[in-house]
Amino acid sequence: MMQRRTWIAGAGLGLVLGRARAARTWRMASGYSSDAFQTRNLKAFAEDLGRESAGAFQLTVFENNTLVRMPDIAQAVRDQRIDLGEVMMSSGLPKEVTVAGADAVPFLTRTPADEKRLWDCQRPVLERQLAAVGLKALLAVPWPPQCLYSAVPLARPQDLAGLRMRTYNPTTEAIARLLGATPVDVLTADVKQALAQGRFDTMITSAVTGVDQEVSGRMKYLYLINAWSPKNLVFMNAATWAGLGAEHQALLTRVAARAEARGWAASAEAARSSVDQLRARGMVIEIPSSVLATTLRRLGERFSRDWVRTAGTDANQIFVPYYADHTPV
């Protein structure tokens, strides 16, 4: 009897030690601060993964560039120096992943439903390109949509002519020139100071940035144009994924899907609460006039064509189904 108890105890201990040895301890790199809703969502994802797997997966999120700098995250995952990474999809992935920039094409989407449909069209094409460079997509979460701010009312596209528009990349500079505005290059961190100096009259950025940079003192009007909503992508090494086994792949897919849904809801709430804060601070919140909205949509079509030429034929596999299911509003 004593021998049987000893065997059972030893078998139980062996099972515990076997599970401990089998536990996967993963590290994930993010470039965003701990208070960003994206980071909070990643930490909830890590907690869910540990709980759902009964400890088989132990994921630690390193935010704010503390593990790997954001420009280097994708390569670090490819090299298996780290296990998971998060980057802004349109700027943080290898150049070979050309379709990653679809969500940053201006004036392509106008509603959250458009954003979701675009992601549904983009994901399978993106996953093929990611696989070719050794990466596996897990989930994507958008930032709140870009809005149009102005110190003066904007009823028509012509009202932007002659204004000074804050820009921060080639796309926003092109938008300014196409609308007849004068580009003024200003980094996000410098928006508040530049406004105090009277350096620009209008800009395109999110309501969240508007709150953070306290723009309501100078910018009086906010137009909900939903210019674009860049997404953050969470991914892992494709070889690591392939080695997980079907059961663990299914578990990770399920937890990632839940994190993606939670992240989209958090993004929408961040957009709503930021707009509410700007309204409370005295800003006039409006949807764009039909004539202004039409002009912006036409600009979107132009940017789409230009992007297809840059991104190659795979881009058509996103835009053809997206526009085929598009209902103008």
Side-chain angles (χ1 to χ4, degrees):
M1 187 68 175
M2 180 64 69
Q3 288 180 337
R4 176 176 174 81
R5 288 176 179 173
T6 302
W7 181 87
I8 292 173
L13 179 60
L15 181 59
V16 171
L17 291 176
R19 285 177 177 172
R21 283 194 296 269
R24 297 175 182 269
T25 303
W26 283 345
R27 298 182 302 164
M28 178 176 180
S30 170
Y32 296 94
S33 65
S34 58
D35 59 350
F37 78 85
Q38 298 271 19
T39 305
R40 293 195 299 270
N41 189 47
L42 293 183
K43 292 186 174 181
F45 167 63
E47 291 173 2
D48 281 355
L49 187 59
R51 182 173 57 254
E52 292 279 332
S53 68
F57 295 98
Q58 298 173 9
L59 174 61
T60 302
V61 178
F62 293 82
E63 70 268 20
N64 209 26
N65 295 300
T66 54
L67 182 62
V68 178
R69 292 177 61 254
M70 189 179 295
D72 304 321
I73 288 176
Q75 190 60 49
V77 174
R78 292 174 79 177
D79 295 342
Q80 294 185 300
R81 287 183 282 120
I82 61 174
D83 306 288
L84 282 79
E86 179 209 36
V87 299
M88 184 173 287
M89 195 155 57
S90 57
S91 60
L93 290 174
K95 291 182 179 179
E96 305 96 307
V97 188
T98 56
V99 299
D103 62 322
V105 176
F107 313 120
L108 180 62
T109 61
R110 297 190 297 281
T111 67
D114 286 348
E115 284 294 333
K116 183 61 171 63
R117 186 161 47 82
L118 177 62
W119 174 229
D120 290 342
C121 295
Q122 183 184 19
R123 182 164 191 162
V125 189
L126 176 75
E127 288 184 333
R128 288 198 297 273
Q129 289 195 352
L130 285 171
V133 298
L135 298 174
K136 164 66 179 177
L138 296 177
L139 64 116
V141 174
W143 290 96
Q146 305 286 289
C147 306
L148 177 62
Y149 293 78
S150 180
V152 296
L154 302 174
R156 308 169 303 157
Q158 294 87 336
D159 294 334
L160 285 153
L163 297 183
R164 297 164 299 167
M165 177 175 281
R166 175 251 173 170
T167 60
Y168 56 90
N169 61 17
T171 298
T172 51
E173 183 175 344
I175 291 170
R177 295 192 185 283
L178 289 169
L179 292 172
T182 301
V184 180
D185 186 42
V186 178
L187 296 174
T188 299
D190 298 330
V191 164
K192 182 178 179 180
Q193 180 180 359
L195 273 174
Q197 295 169 345
R199 290 177 54 194
F200 62 90
D201 315 295
T202 184
M203 66 175 175
I204 295 176
T205 194
S206 72
V208 173
T209 299
V211 171
D212 291 344
Q213 294 297 310
E214 301 177 7
V215 305
S216 55
R218 294 274 180 170
M219 298 281 104
K220 301 299 183 185
Y221 299 88
L222 177 69
Y223 296 92
L224 304 177
I225 61 172
N226 294 319
W228 64 91
S229 295
K231 290 189 287 290
N232 280 7
L233 182 72
V234 176
F235 52 92
M236 65 185 297
N237 183 277
T240 303
W241 166 265
L244 288 179
E247 183 179 353
H248 281 162
Q249 285 179 350
L251 184 149
L252 187 53
T253 298
R254 184 171 66 251
V255 175
R258 189 158 60 237
E260 182 168 289
R262 183 176 57 238
W264 281 67
S267 180
E269 177 55 33
R272 283 192 296 270
S273 63
S274 297
V275 169
D276 288 344
Q277 289 181 64
L278 292 173
R279 181 182 290 110
R281 295 176 185 180
M283 291 196 70
V284 177
I285 313 297
E286 296 183 350
I287 60 172
S289 67
S290 59
V291 63
L292 179 58
T294 298
T295 296
L296 297 180
R297 284 199 296 272
R298 288 173 179 166
L299 284 181
E301 293 167 1
R302 175 173 177 166
F303 278 107
S304 297
R305 291 193 297 270
D306 291 345
W307 183 75
V308 168
R309 284 192 288 268
T310 300
T313 55
D314 280 349
N316 283 321
Q317 297 180 45
I318 300 171
F319 283 171
V320 169
Y322 175 78
Y323 279 117
D325 192 34
H326 178 67
T327 302
V329 296

